[in-house]
């Protein structure tokens, strides 16, 4: 069992990280009071921006094109999320419909542009990130082997963002205000918080993080843009619920789903897992989410005002 | 002068904005938008065969649009039409390939199987919503991906084709919803008997919503759940039934698409028609006749895109982008409403 764990652990982490950063983005948006089911589409936008940047710059810049590509994914996601922010915050649009539009638009417009630029709907890059083993730390028995060998730089970046996000949300006045906008916007406004501004921040962070998530897929395990992230954005949304809108809850949920995906991917080559029908492993995360929703239905920690438009002056 | 209904005006404004966005995208890649739209519409309408294909694509959209619209009337957002449609298609294909029955009975069983499969898929989010107050948006999204993976493993295991692992065997002519007289009438188009199902459903759903107590109760639940409960309406039952019917409609869309328009079912795809159904319902103001109009329009956008691509080199994804943009603008109808108000006020001022 230990051998299997050692074998699949790097893959599980590779799948967890894009989910984690995207779900964390969703956390910012929903904590500020805006539902964002457009995470899937925002990931696709980041995926595309990263791919196209690296493809264009790699011939000249070589490996330093990769971080620039990730940065462009981050920015691209944030910019595209403005569409959702404008609709849900300024125009009181139905946030679920706006998010659906974001998902559909992202999938179509990126392939449209990719076809124009490369001729096919796909974008290939020569090389992404390489896995690195961290000196010294990897020598620690047991955990050194598990956590500090064969790692991507993005993994450490995302984990750092997780810690910073937690600190920001729970240990700063700004974070408290942002969460207040998702719980009781009128009270926040009465206390002098600019609800519109806070919600814009929430949505843009979700766009930027989802964009980074898409970019991470590109530079780690994918290497080719194809116009879809195959439901990972929705799985990030599920992780957000499963993790009950808390940063470390989300970490646990995404790791759980990352592992589930990896086991499903490798089940055919590892005899211990081959006995389980693969379809069971595949639908497992979604069924678990449905069950979690049932279990948490009485005591959900969802932000109270999530999905509700805010009108200035409402009591 | 007869007043144009607000919903129609809003829909037209959203379509116009969507087409403008499409034109800008064509300009962005250096193409001529007038030429692009000319070939897009010509591609969907230039002869009987193409008109038949446009209607065939619209058939599926009518049914997914009705599915989303029907749930909307009960205040439920059915994002799961794609999964329900996929399961419906799987059920119909399975019956069509594996059950030996004479053609007329077989077709009826296939269509019923599709409806039941979709209804089953819709019932889960309905039950979860009614019993545990689980948000139907999340539940239907999860059900979509469960459907995706069920089809992904079921088709290669039980319906595998001779050469390809990624799609089912081709349905024999005897178990296809296509029928020679209809195919001949439209010079070999994909048009099929699904169309009659779709039209029947428009009439039935319209009747159900406007002329029956049941429909009235569903709409009451959609308008104000608490008031409906207070008035003695069984809210939970209404929610479950609404999702079951919505799922059944999407299941029928699956039959019309996978056993009529197409002749087999592919794995690894959530059908775009399920999501387009949201656009159809919104643009059609959740009204069965509005759904018909919107479905025909979107069917045209999809039917003509291949021809446009061949003639102008504009990527076919332009149609999907336009549809997504239209959804976005219908969601932001407040903006359109404000703009219309502004225009009306300006006119009044000018008149005085």
């Amino acid at each position: 069992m230990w051998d299997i764990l050692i074998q699949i652990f790097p893959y599980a982490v590779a799948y967890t990280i894009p989910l984690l950063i995207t779900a964390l983005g969703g956390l910012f948006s929903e904590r500020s009071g805006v539902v964002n089911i457009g995470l899937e589409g925002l990931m696709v936008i980041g995926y595309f921006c990263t791919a196209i940047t690296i493809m264009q710059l790699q011939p000249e810049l070589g490996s330093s094109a990769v971080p620039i590509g990730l940065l462009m994914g981050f920015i691209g996601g944030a910019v595209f999320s403005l569409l959702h922010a404008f609709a849900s915050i300024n125009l009181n649009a139905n946030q679920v419909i706006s998010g659906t539009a974001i998902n559909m638009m992202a999938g179509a417009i990126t392939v449209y542009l990719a076809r124009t630029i490369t001729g096919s709907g796909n974008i290939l890059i020569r090389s992404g990130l390489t896995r690195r083993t961290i000196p010294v730390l990897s020598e620690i028995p047991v955990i050194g082997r598990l956590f500090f060998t064969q790692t991507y730089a993005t993994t450490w970046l995302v984990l750092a963002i997780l810690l910073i996000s937690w600190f920001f949300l729970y240990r700063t006045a700004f974070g408290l205000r942002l969460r207040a906008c998702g719980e009781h916007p009128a009270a926040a406004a009465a206390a002098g918080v600019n609800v519109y501004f806070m919600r814009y921040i929430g949505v843009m962070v979700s766009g930027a993080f989802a964009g980074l998530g898409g970019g991470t897929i590109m530079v780690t395990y994918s290497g080719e843009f194809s116009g879809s992230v195959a439901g990972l954005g929705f799985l990030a949304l599920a992780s957000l619920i499963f993790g009950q809108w808390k940063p470390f809850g989300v970490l646990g949920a995404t790791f759980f789903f990352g592992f589930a995906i990896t086991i499903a991917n490798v089940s055919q080559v590892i005899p211990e897992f081959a006995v389980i029908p693969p379809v069971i492993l595949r639908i497992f995360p979604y069924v678990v989410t449905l069950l979690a929703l049932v279990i948490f239905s009485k005591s959900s920690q969802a932000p109270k005002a999530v999905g509700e438009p805010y009108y200035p002056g409402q009591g | 002068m007869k007043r144009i209904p607000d919903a129609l005006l809003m829909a037209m404004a959203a379509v116009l904005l969507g087409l403008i966005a499409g034109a800008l995208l064509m300009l962005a890649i250096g193409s001529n938008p007038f030429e692009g739209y000319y070939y897009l519409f010509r591609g969907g309408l230039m002869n009987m065969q193409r008109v038949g294909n446009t209607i065939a694509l619209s058939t599926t959209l009518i049914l997914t649009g009705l599915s989303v619209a029907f749930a909307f009337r009960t205040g439920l957002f059915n994002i799961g039409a794609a999964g329900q449609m996929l399961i419906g298609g799987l059920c119909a294909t399975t019956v069509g390939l594996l059950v030996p029955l004479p053609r007329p009975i077989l077709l009826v069983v296939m269509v019923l199987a599709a409806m039941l499969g979709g209804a089953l898929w819709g019932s889960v989010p309905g039950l979860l919503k009614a019993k545990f107050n689980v948000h139907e948006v999340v539940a239907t999204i999860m059900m979509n991906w469960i459907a995706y993976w069920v089809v992904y493993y079921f088709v290669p295991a039980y319906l595998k084709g001779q050469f390809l692992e990624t799609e089912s065997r081709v349905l024999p002519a005897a178990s296809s919803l296509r029928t020679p007289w209809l195919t001949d009438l439209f010079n070999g188009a994909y048009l099929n008997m699904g169309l009659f199902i779709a039209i029947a459903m428009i009439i039935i759903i319209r009747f159900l919503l406007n002329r029956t107590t049941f429909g009235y109760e569903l709409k009451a639940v959609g308008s104000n759940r608490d008031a409906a409960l207070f008035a003695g309406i069984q809210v939970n039952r209404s929610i479950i039934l609404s999702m079951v019917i919505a799922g059944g409609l999407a299941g029928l869309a699956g039959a019309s698409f996978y056993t009529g328009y197409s002749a087999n079912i592919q794995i690894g795809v959530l059908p775009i028609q399920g999501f387009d159904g949201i656009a159809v319902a919104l643009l059609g103001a959740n009204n069965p006749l509005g759904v018909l109009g919107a479905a025909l329009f979107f069917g045209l956008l999809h039917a003509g895109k291949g021809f446009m691509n061949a003639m102008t080199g504009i990527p076919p994804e332009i149609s999907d982008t336009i549809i997504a943009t239209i959804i976005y603008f219908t969601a932001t109808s407040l903006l359109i409403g404000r703009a219309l108000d502004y225009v009306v006020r300006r006119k009044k001022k000018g008149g005085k």
Side-chain angles (χ1 to χ4, degrees):
Chain A
M1 211 57 202
W2 175 245
D3 285 343
I4 298 170
L5 191 65
I6 291 280
Q7 262 180 359
I8 69 173
F9 199 82
Y11 298 97
V13 172
Y15 273 103
T16 302
I17 292 303
L19 273 180
L20 172 61
I21 187 70
T22 306
L24 201 57
L27 189 143
F28 272 86
S29 177
E30 302 219 342
R31 280 291 190 162
S32 79
V34 181
V35 170
N36 193 350
I37 69 161
L39 291 175
E40 174 95 359
L42 294 165
M43 279 183 104
V44 172
I45 294 288
Y47 197 11
F48 171 79
C49 290
T50 303
I52 205 81
T53 308
I54 295 176
M55 188 197 83
Q56 302 282 4
L57 296 182
Q58 211 158 38
E60 284 175 48
L61 296 176
S63 62
S64 55
V66 172
I68 301 175
L70 284 171
L71 181 68
M72 291 312 288
F74 186 85
I75 295 171
V79 170
F80 206 75
S81 71
L82 283 174
L83 279 175
H84 184 56
F86 180 62
S88 17
I89 301 167
N90 296 98
L91 302 176
N92 305 336
N94 181 325
Q95 298 171 6
V96 173
I97 299 174
S98 165
T100 307
I102 297 282
N103 285 336
M104 295 179 70
M105 224 184 277
I109 207 168
T110 51
V111 178
Y112 177 85
L113 293 175
R115 264 195 222 286
T116 314
I117 297 164
T118 67
S120 80
N122 294 15
I123 303 169
L124 257 172
I125 60 170
R126 260 188 268 157
S127 62
L129 283 175
T130 41
R131 287 181 180 273
R132 293 241 168 78
T133 296
I134 296 173
V136 188
L137 289 177
S138 60
E139 308 292 324
I140 305 171
V142 189
I143 59 163
R145 180 79 194 279
L146 216 47
F147 292 105
F148 299 109
T149 54
Q150 300 286 310
T151 62
Y152 287 120
T154 44
T155 303
W156 302 108
L157 174 69
V158 167
L159 288 175
I161 293 176
L162 173 73
L163 290 175
I164 295 166
S165 299
W166 174 82
F167 181 81
F168 180 81
L169 282 168
Y170 292 95
R171 290 289 181 273
T172 66
F174 198 86
L176 180 69
R177 289 182 191 135
L178 186 118
R179 286 185 290 131
C181 293
E183 297 292 339
H184 202 312
V193 177
N194 184 341
V195 177
Y196 283 12
F197 175 74
M198 283 297 177
R199 289 192 166 178
Y200 260 92
I201 296 284
V203 175
M204 283 180 76
V205 169
S206 78
F209 284 10
L212 183 60
T216 305
I217 295 175
M218 185 69 208
V219 299
T220 57
Y221 59 85
S222 152
E224 182 177 20
F225 171 80
S226 58
S228 158
V229 294
L232 281 183
F234 291 121
L235 211 49
L237 200 68
S239 314
L240 186 58
I241 298 162
F242 199 50
Q244 288 288 290
W245 292 269
K246 293 190 177 74
F248 293 106
V250 166
L251 173 67
T254 49
F255 192 63
F256 175 74
F257 287 159
F259 240 94
I261 297 173
T262 309
I263 290 174
N265 280 344
V266 300
S267 68
Q268 292 313 298
V269 288
I270 295 178
E272 280 87 342
F273 296 127
V275 289
I276 313 168
V279 65
I280 301 291
L281 296 169
R282 289 290 182 190
I283 66 174
F284 182 64
Y286 307 105
V287 175
V288 166
T289 303
L290 287 176
L291 290 176
L293 281 165
V294 170
I295 292 164
F296 291 140
S297 64
K298 287 280 181 302
S299 63
S300 176
Q301 301 291 307
K304 288 200 180 54
V306 72
E308 289 171 17
Y310 168 70
Y311 306 93
Q314 81 182 19
Chain B
M1 196 183 87
K2 206 181 160 203
R3 213 169 140 265
I4 307 168
D6 280 353
L8 187 62
L9 216 56
M10 295 274 203
M12 280 166 22
V15 167
L16 188 67
L17 287 168
L19 291 177
I20 291 172
L24 290 175
L25 266 180
M26 291 183 199
L27 277 175
I29 61 163
S31 300
N32 179 349
F34 292 104
E35 206 186 10
Y37 280 124
Y38 172 73
Y39 286 113
L40 183 63
F41 292 124
R42 200 175 139 79
L45 296 170
M46 69 181 164
N47 55 38
M48 277 302 264
Q49 189 194 0
R50 295 214 176 241
V51 171
N53 287 341
T54 299
I55 300 173
L57 282 164
S58 306
T59 301
T60 310
L61 293 178
I62 291 170
L63 289 164
T64 55
L66 276 179
S67 166
V68 178
F70 190 79
F72 256 131
R73 294 301 279 271
T74 319
L76 299 167
F77 195 3
N78 180 20
I79 303 198
Q84 294 146 13
M85 173 181 162
L86 195 57
I87 291 296
L90 180 69
C91 291
T93 308
T94 307
V95 172
L97 284 175
L98 302 182
V99 181
L101 281 172
R103 178 168 158 88
I105 303 171
L106 180 65
L107 291 187
V108 172
V109 175
M110 279 167 66
V111 168
L112 284 178
M115 196 165 73
L116 285 176
L120 176 74
W121 228 248
S123 71
V124 176
L127 273 168
L128 292 179
K129 174 87 178 180
K131 300 278 177 216
F132 302 102
N133 201 24
V134 169
H135 203 299
E136 78 281 1
V137 166
V138 182
T140 48
I141 290 173
M142 297 302 127
M143 291 304 286
N144 275 347
W145 290 95
I146 295 174
Y148 175 96
W149 289 113
V150 166
V151 169
Y152 193 93
Y153 288 102
F154 188 90
V155 168
Y158 301 103
L159 310 173
K160 198 171 74 155
Q162 213 177 342
F163 306 109
L164 281 173
E165 288 270 348
T166 55
E167 57 187 46
S168 70
R169 289 197 292 281
V170 174
L171 281 169
S175 37
S176 168
L177 287 179
R178 279 192 227 172
T179 183
W181 66 268
L182 206 54
T183 309
D184 293 343
L185 189 66
F186 285 90
N187 291 330
Y190 300 122
L191 193 60
N192 59 75
M193 289 188 284
L195 177 65
F196 305 122
I197 298 174
I199 293 170
M201 286 302 144
I202 291 174
I203 297 166
I204 291 171
I205 295 297
R206 194 174 146 79
F207 179 80
L208 199 66
L209 282 173
N210 296 339
R211 295 273 183 276
T212 65
T213 317
F214 175 59
Y216 180 80
E217 288 182 352
L218 291 184
K219 286 190 289 185
V221 172
S223 312
N224 188 334
R225 196 162 295 169
D226 297 326
L229 191 68
F230 187 68
I233 294 170
Q234 288 179 293
V235 172
N236 284 349
R237 182 174 149 264
S238 300
I239 289 174
I240 297 169
L241 282 177
S242 175
M243 279 309 294
V244 165
I245 294 171
L249 288 165
L252 288 175
S256 91
F257 185 74
Y258 292 108
T259 65
Y261 184 88
S262 168
N264 62 3
I265 187 165
Q266 288 85 33
I267 68 168
V269 192
L270 268 177
I272 183 82
Q273 290 86 349
F275 300 103
D276 285 349
I278 300 167
V280 170
L282 287 172
L283 195 62
N286 301 320
N287 171 320
L289 289 180
V291 163
L292 173 66
L296 285 170
F297 175 65
F298 289 145
L300 178 60
L301 287 184
H302 277 303
K305 65 186 181 184
F307 184 68
M308 175 204 66
N309 179 237
M311 299 303 287
T312 62
I314 298 170
E317 283 76 19
I318 191 80
S319 293
D320 308 282
T321 313
I322 294 170
I323 292 173
T325 316
I326 292 174
I327 301 192
Y328 182 77
F329 284 117
T330 46
T332 57
S333 52
L334 190 73
L335 179 71
I336 301 174
R338 270 187 206 157
L340 286 176
D341 275 354
Y342 181 72
V343 173
V344 171
R345 250 182 290 142
R346 287 266 310 254
K347 254 191 191 164
K348 274 189 186 156
K349 260 188 194 167
K352 270 180 188 172

